[in-house]
Amino acid sequence: MNDMTPIETTLKDWESDQEVRWCPGCGDYAILKAVQRTLPQLKADPAKTVFISGIGCSSRFPYYVESYGFHTIHGRAPAFATGVKLANPELDIWLVTGDGDGLSIGGNHLMHVLRRNVDMQIMLFNNEIYGLTKGQYSPTSREGTHTPSTPQGSIDHPANPCAFALGSGARFVARGYDVSKDLPDVLKAAHAHKGAAFIEIFQNCIVYNKDVFEDFTAKKTSAETQIWLEDGKPMLFAKGTKGIALDQESFALKVVDVEGDDWQTAGVLVHNVKSRALAHMLVELPFGPFPMPLGVIYDNPAVTFESAVVEQNKQASEGKTPDFAALLARGQTWTVSGTAQDPV
């Protein structure tokens, strides 16, 4: 985000007058509150904040935030968001999409906003289902998922949103989930990043895919099933009794036991958010043998698209006087004379 004058707001300042309408128990409610609680902490200005969405349950988001917003068309939110950022680079852009909207019809547009590195926060709500259109399987649905469109179980290999983002050239990749108390910290880190910041947010669809993430979000077992990554900190989980290490022979990650506080002897890796190779390994870890990696996985800023465009236009206009008539007369021009009655 570009430097903007910080202002003081409260959660109430970010609540619109629209009735929030998702299914009772939907994870979108928790994500909305997390965002509305985070914005005052960022000292963001509602007059300079824009929420842009495509189509789907998640895409109702702009109605519920007291800021500027666009509810656009299926899969094309990244294109609209790019246009808004280029038109006014001072605006703070939040793009809201879902696993269907962003990775199916919108996969092409999402890829380009990531590779171009347009400065915005991209929240992809992943509930592994098409919720708005009544429960068909989505690009992220697991193999064997039974839905109206896959009555015998899906045979598709699911897309991995974070792997997709890294493969598209994203410079910031993170994960969180709807009811996590740590989600605001992930949002803050994304906002602090200069460039396209991609956040996959696991979101419970209470109607069509209930508790699909319970295997790692359940509070009773979360210490064993989650690993929250922090830059410069050892990759420990299970209350410090286990960690993630590198197998030197296979050059793959593995789980190791940790005796006491001696994580170094166990070979536990220290997280480095600037390591793209490590990020790729982390987002590809199979859940079950490994805990679910959460938090900031990769954060390595680069020149943003809109800043490069602004600089290029500045250089192209140096020493030139605007002349619209001369611009129209450039190149091939001709004059049409005569009347409609003249013979051809």
Side-chain angles (χ1 to χ4, degrees):
M1 187 184 85
N2 285 26
D3 292 334
M4 291 193 288
T5 303
I7 69 168
E8 297 294 332
T9 61
T10 66
L11 183 149
K12 291 292 184 183
D13 293 318
W14 294 93
E15 293 179 340
S16 77
D17 60 358
Q18 299 297 299
E19 179 186 358
V20 182
R21 299 184 66 182
W22 285 306
C23 299
C26 175
D28 287 353
Y29 286 98
I31 301 172
L32 175 63
K33 282 302 175 188
V35 172
Q36 290 172 329
R37 289 191 180 100
T38 300
L39 289 166
Q41 297 175 42
L42 299 173
K43 299 192 181 301
D45 184 349
K48 295 183 179 179
T49 302
V50 186
F51 280 81
I52 300 174
S53 65
I55 295 296
C57 296
S58 64
S59 293
R60 300 183 62 83
F61 214 89
Y63 296 107
Y64 307 139
V65 182
E66 186 61 24
S67 69
Y68 288 100
F70 292 93
H71 186 184
T72 69
I73 53 181
H74 207 183
R76 275 68 176 183
F80 283 85
T82 299
V84 172
K85 191 65 178 181
L86 288 176
N88 189 348
E90 294 299 318
L91 295 176
D92 185 16
I93 310 296
W94 294 76
L95 192 153
V96 185
T97 187
D99 48 305
D101 180 63
L103 293 175
S104 185
I105 191 171
N108 171 53
H109 295 280
L110 184 59
M111 176 186 74
H112 292 305
V113 79
L114 290 169
R115 72 171 180 84
R116 285 175 173 144
N117 197 33
V118 186
D119 188 20
M120 66 181 71
Q121 296 74 239
I122 303 165
M123 299 187 295
L124 185 142
F125 298 7
N126 182 9
N127 56 20
E128 296 188 0
I129 207 76
Y130 277 109
L132 186 66
T133 51
K134 306 301 182 284
Q136 300 89 344
Y137 84 118
S138 83
T140 58
S141 295
R142 304 175 193 186
E143 292 178 28
T145 299
H146 292 267
T147 75
S149 54
T150 55
Q152 295 179 297
S154 171
I155 58 174
D156 280 7
H157 181 66
N160 180 327
C162 287
F164 172 87
L166 283 169
S168 299
R171 309 293 302 192
F172 180 101
V173 175
R175 274 195 189 127
Y177 62 94
D178 47 16
V179 296
S180 169
K181 63 181 178 57
D182 296 304
L183 181 57
D185 289 334
V186 175
L187 298 174
K188 291 175 194 174
H191 191 264
H193 176 86
K194 181 71 174 176
F198 179 86
I199 316 112
E200 177 186 14
I201 305 175
F202 297 110
Q203 177 258 323
N204 186 33
C205 177
I206 195 74
V207 175
Y208 296 110
N209 215 13
K210 183 180 179 181
D211 296 334
V212 71
F213 304 117
E214 188 75 3
D215 48 3
F216 69 86
T217 61
K219 290 183 179 180
K220 290 183 179 179
T221 56
S222 60
E224 296 277 347
T225 58
Q226 300 175 14
I227 180 167
W228 282 89
L229 303 165
E230 292 185 65
D231 189 36
K233 301 289 183 66
M235 296 185 188
L236 297 169
F237 65 103
K239 299 180 180 179
T241 63
K242 296 181 181 179
I244 304 294
L246 182 66
D247 188 311
Q248 298 295 333
E249 293 185 5
S250 64
F251 203 71
L253 299 181
K254 63 180 180 180
V255 173
V256 295
D257 294 321
V258 177
E259 296 288 340
D261 295 328
D262 193 10
W263 56 268
Q264 293 98 331
T265 300
V268 175
L269 294 172
V270 173
H271 186 42
N272 178 3
V273 293
K274 293 189 182 302
S275 172
R276 193 173 189 83
L278 180 58
H280 274 286
M281 287 192 283
L282 286 168
V283 301
E284 294 283 3
L285 287 179
F287 178 74
F290 292 89
M292 177 62 70
L294 299 166
V296 179
I297 297 168
Y298 184 62
D299 184 359
N300 192 9
V303 175
T304 65
F305 181 68
E306 74 283 352
S307 64
V309 170
V310 168
E311 181 60 28
Q312 185 182 65
N313 290 342
K314 179 182 176 182
Q315 292 179 8
S317 63
E318 284 182 356
K320 297 179 181 178
T321 303
D323 189 335
F324 188 63
L327 178 64
L328 288 177
R330 286 181 60 187
Q332 294 181 340
T333 62
W334 59 91
T335 301
V336 177
S337 61
T339 65
Q341 285 75 33
D342 291 340
V344 177

